[in-house]
Amino acid sequence: MKEIVVISGKGGTGKTSIVASFATLAGKAILADCDVDAADLHLVLNPVIERREDFSGGKKASIIEENCIGCDRCIEECRFDAISYPDSGKADTPRVNHIFCEGCGVCFRVCPADAISFKQAVNGEWFVSSTKYGPMVHARLGMAEGNSGKLVSQIRQEARSIAEKENLDYIIVDGSPGVGCPVISSITGADLVLVITEPTLSGRHDLLRVAELTSFFRIPTIVCVNKWDLNADITGQIEQEAREHNVRPAGRVRYDTSVTSAQIAGTSIIAFADGDVSRDIRDLWNSVVTTLDGGAA
Amino acid sequence: MKIAIASGKGGTGKTTIATNLALTLADAGTNVQLLDCDVEEPNCHIFLKPKIESATPVTVPIPKVIEEKCTGCGICAEVCEFSAIAVVKKKVLIFPELCHGCGACSLFCPENAFVEVPREVGAIEKGSADGIIFTQGLLNIGELMSPAVISEVKKSAGDPDVLIIDSPPGTSCPVIEAVKDAEFILLVTEPTPFGLNDLKLAVGMAKALNLPFAVAVNRSDVGDDAVAEYCRSENIEIFLEIPNDRRIAEAYSRGEMVVRELPEYLETFKTCWDRIRAFSEKETSSKPNSDGTAKEA
Ligand code: SF4
Ligand code: SF4
Ligand code: SF4
Ligand code: SF4
């Protein structure tokens, strides 16, 4: 069993459309949508939810008004400015703003009056579903929640255990954008990272940042320039620079408005139309498989 | 006035809008400052090509144990909610990457054995471009603490007439850090199913933070009407629509500014700005002391 993570630097480069296409091509595979901040894969794979679980990103503090003596110790010690008196002026006890609470427990421990409860907060849900192309693990993170890294790890873990149980060949992960917390959780320990980028100067800049990250974690990395024909010169430059950073160009996918049409139809481009762009993606998948089987792990 | 440009996911045109809006204002003689808070993948500099005048490292305080004072009691490890400390055989081990800098360990150590030392997690760079005062943050590769870098970028804000914040994509903790004290958020999306899904998440975030917002639709003629319909039914105004003009995509791919290359779009951005200003004037006059919780935090 091999795990491939598809990431993009910044998102919006067509990553999810390509993952959905891989799903239709991969055969015995499980999908994991780890782009938990902006999960879109379900929109084209129409999963049927079979199991749902609550997700807790950690604890959050709340003030128990009856007990509070208004000493303000919690406000003084909270380094995340999460506790304050509400503006309206009516309440005489401070409140915790859960959006800013990091769950460090300092307030709970300094409060002299037992006036703070500190409990696991449910702030998301994750699902095991079935799709036409195999099982899928995905999630919904609560609004304005942190700790997406932990949720990403849980999704990958679940996908791995299902893959083992059902003896699947591939885990295909739709990874998170950026180079920070959730993307690090998306890629650590994977067999291969595929970066989808665009032929733009910002795409090039983002690819180099991501390549630095994957080499930091020593994960074999390949790249595909999506919509490459929008600027063939920059595509060439990106591929050249990628090679210099030990990132092998594994394919190019052309610009085609049918990719958007497939999305609107709620299906993958491969299932939607069998044109040139579908052929590009097929070639890319074949190249991924060759890399994975050629000992990239 | 402080406005943030945000989006549910990356690659929707957030940076294009932030930079071109800033340049449009600067050209009109407005004193404008642009903060690139997308510290995982900062891209504004590619388009503005600013002259960087200073660079400063961003540090977070992490605890360090003065071994002579430590009795190995283990309290610090118990109070650390993030498993960043372990006490093994009476020796304290600190894992800096896991540390959130909450201060619990030093606060509760009975021997006062902690000092806090700065640890570098990124940098901020200041400069100027074409009449725009510019700051960007850059997270070091492999680091998780983007909110710390964003907070530093935001501290560099002077007192310009207009402050524009290019926020990271998504709705997670770094985004909250970037947008939380803005007076207005412009949410950028595309008229596709993915765009709509991500827009709904971004709207949820803006509402949770109690911030006024409107929508910008990029490549407004590529997809379907679902975004427009959603905005209509939710009473959300659309302040900016940028058509799918191949010349814009090309200018973008080369790292050029739309309003310079295609001056006919100056008017588009001016109109957008006029709407934002009119909207905020209406807001402040109609609701004098309204819900400022998020602003205070
Ligand atoms: S748990 Fe920590 S971050 Fe949350 S309110 Fe208490 S002190 Fe602040
Ligand atoms: S520390 Fe406890 S008693 Fe003091 S203000 Fe905070 S909640 Fe109230
Ligand atoms: S709490 Fe203080 S004394 Fe106890 S193990 Fe930690 S550093 Fe040492
Ligand atoms: S500062 Fe907070 S997170 Fe960091 S080691 Fe101390 S207790 Fe743990």
Side-chain angles (χ1 to χ4, degrees):
Chain A
M1 180 197 41
K2 297 278 167 71
E3 183 181 32
I4 167 154
V5 185
V6 184
I7 59 174
S8 70
K10 69 155 51 269
T13 60
K15 169 176 66 75
T16 298
S17 295
I18 288 177
V19 169
S21 299
F22 284 179
T24 61
L25 296 170
K28 287 176 67 186
I30 181 163
L31 297 151
D33 191 350
C34 288
D35 192 353
V36 292
D37 267 339
D40 285 335
L41 195 56
H42 64 280
L43 297 174
V44 281
L45 293 180
N46 309 307
V48 178
I49 294 174
E50 291 182 343
R51 183 153 67 81
R52 48 174 80 219
E53 307 271 352
D54 283 341
F55 167 74
S56 170
K59 295 181 179 170
K60 299 256 177 202
S62 310
I63 290 174
I64 307 161
E65 288 178 33
E66 308 85 86
N67 294 4
C68 174
I69 55 170
C71 70
D72 296 356
R73 283 290 293 139
C74 53
I75 301 180
E76 284 157 25
E77 297 297 349
C78 174
R79 289 202 179 170
F80 305 98
D81 293 336
I83 311 180
S84 58
Y85 285 92
D87 277 0
S88 57
K90 255 196 242 122
D92 42 10
T93 61
R95 301 262 168 85
V96 177
N97 186 337
H98 276 188
I99 294 175
F100 302 120
C101 174
E102 285 266 324
C104 69
V106 164
C107 54
F108 164 72
R109 293 192 170 87
V110 296
C111 176
D114 257 337
I116 294 181
S117 79
F118 186 53
K119 288 205 245 58
Q120 289 291 340
V122 171
N123 42 28
E125 251 187 317
W126 56 270
F127 318 97
V128 177
S129 300
S130 61
T131 76
K132 230 164 57 187
Y133 311 108
M136 167 170 170
V137 189
H138 52 125
R140 186 163 45 219
L141 192 60
M143 222 48 93
E145 280 305 336
N147 222 342
S148 37
K150 187 172 163 193
L151 180 55
V152 165
S153 305
Q154 276 184 11
I155 293 174
R156 280 181 69 204
Q157 215 169 17
E158 184 65 27
R160 178 160 291 265
S161 79
I162 295 174
E164 272 162 11
K165 221 174 346 183
E166 300 191 6
N167 205 8
L168 303 174
D169 297 330
Y170 302 104
I171 303 171
I172 303 171
V173 179
D174 191 352
S176 322
V179 294
C181 171
V183 71
I184 291 176
S185 304
S186 303
I187 64 170
T188 41
D191 295 298
L192 182 68
V193 165
L194 166 64
V195 186
I196 308 294
T197 189
E198 285 184 345
T200 63
L201 289 184
S202 31
R204 173 179 152 245
H205 180 256
D206 295 342
L207 171 68
L208 294 180
R209 300 261 295 159
V210 168
E212 227 184 294
L213 184 75
T214 57
S215 92
F216 185 90
F217 288 101
R218 297 171 196 280
I219 304 166
T221 306
I222 56 180
V223 64
C224 163
V225 181
N226 191 19
K227 307 180 195 168
W228 72 270
D229 46 339
L230 283 181
N231 193 327
D233 290 346
I234 295 181
T235 297
Q237 281 169 32
I238 288 178
E239 291 176 343
Q240 180 56 34
E241 264 181 308
R243 277 188 208 97
E244 287 161 16
H245 287 80
N246 256 324
V247 172
R248 187 173 62 79
R252 291 175 172 187
V253 175
R254 73 197 69 196
Y255 177 72
D256 189 329
T257 48
S258 65
V259 174
T260 306
S261 312
Q263 203 190 102
I264 291 169
T267 183
S268 88
I269 175 71
I270 300 271
F272 183 74
D274 199 21
D276 290 339
V277 66
S278 297
R279 209 168 46 239
D280 289 347
I281 296 175
R282 256 177 236 277
D283 290 346
L284 177 64
W285 173 248
N286 291 336
S287 171
V288 164
V289 169
T290 320
T291 315
L292 278 174
D293 295 346
Chain B
M1 159 158 210
K2 241 188 231 187
I3 69 168
I5 317 291
S7 68
K9 69 159 185 208
T12 52
K14 203 167 46 61
T15 299
T16 304
I17 291 173
T19 51
N20 283 287
L21 202 54
L23 191 58
T24 304
L25 286 166
D27 282 358
T30 309
N31 177 335
V32 51
Q33 183 171 11
L34 177 65
L35 306 181
D36 193 343
C37 287
D38 190 357
V39 303
E40 293 182 29
E41 312 277 7
N43 282 160
C44 288
H45 68 100
I46 292 171
F47 301 93
L48 291 175
K49 304 172 182 69
K51 208 167 123 253
I52 298 298
E53 282 135 24
S54 74
T56 348
V58 175
T59 60
V60 294
I62 58 147
K64 188 175 159 229
V65 177
I66 308 165
E67 295 192 2
E68 303 80 69
K69 287 192 177 177
C70 171
T71 59
C73 71
I75 289 176
C76 51
E78 262 164 51
V79 299
C80 179
E81 288 290 332
F82 308 106
S83 311
I85 301 192
V87 180
V88 182
K89 292 190 182 137
K90 305 229 165 224
K91 227 183 127 40
V92 176
L93 299 171
I94 295 170
F95 308 103
E97 311 75 41
L98 299 178
C99 174
H100 288 227
C102 71
C105 50
S106 46
L107 190 61
F108 296 106
C109 169
E111 310 298 331
N112 235 325
F114 281 101
V115 287
E116 292 194 324
V117 292
R119 187 172 82 91
E120 195 177 319
V121 295
I124 63 166
E125 296 180 343
K126 296 186 207 171
S128 61
D130 258 337
I132 302 166
I133 312 161
F134 178 72
T135 306
Q136 68 175 350
L138 199 63
L139 180 73
N140 286 354
I141 295 295
E143 288 293 343
L144 306 175
M145 294 292 284
S146 22
V149 180
I150 293 169
S151 151
E152 232 22 69
V153 174
K154 290 180 66 184
K155 280 187 202 147
S156 78
D159 192 19
D161 297 334
V162 180
L163 183 74
I164 298 178
I165 295 167
D166 188 8
S167 140
T171 57
S172 64
C173 32
V175 186
I176 305 295
E177 184 64 37
V179 307
K180 66 182 182 189
D181 46 8
E183 289 153 77
F184 180 86
I185 313 186
L186 188 61
L187 301 173
V188 185
T189 192
E190 290 181 344
T192 61
F194 291 0
L196 175 60
N197 189 48
D198 301 330
L199 174 64
K200 287 180 183 166
L201 297 173
V203 165
M205 173 188 72
K207 287 187 175 161
L209 289 168
N210 240 323
L211 295 172
F213 62 92
V215 165
V217 185
N218 195 17
R219 293 185 271 267
S220 55
D221 46 353
V222 290
D224 55 9
D225 295 333
V227 164
E229 265 160 37
Y230 165 76
C231 290
R232 210 174 303 128
S233 71
E234 294 284 314
N235 265 322
I236 297 168
E237 294 198 63
I238 295 176
F239 278 3
L240 175 65
E241 283 181 285
I242 303 175
N244 185 34
D245 182 336
R246 190 170 172 123
R247 295 170 309 160
I248 293 182
E250 282 167 2
Y252 179 87
S253 80
R254 295 189 303 262
E256 281 155 11
M257 296 293 294
V258 177
V259 294
R260 284 277 183 276
E261 293 297 299
L262 307 163
E264 65 260 43
Y265 284 103
L266 259 172
E267 213 37 55
T268 313
F269 284 97
K270 263 197 203 121
T271 312
C272 172
W273 173 248
D274 289 340
R275 286 174 178 159
I276 295 174
R277 206 182 38 201
F279 182 89
S280 83
E281 276 163 11
K282 203 171 73 206
E283 277 283 304
T284 35
S285 61
S286 67
K287 291 198 274 171
N289 291 317
S290 73
D291 42 51
T293 37
K295 273 176 219 155
E296 285 305 311

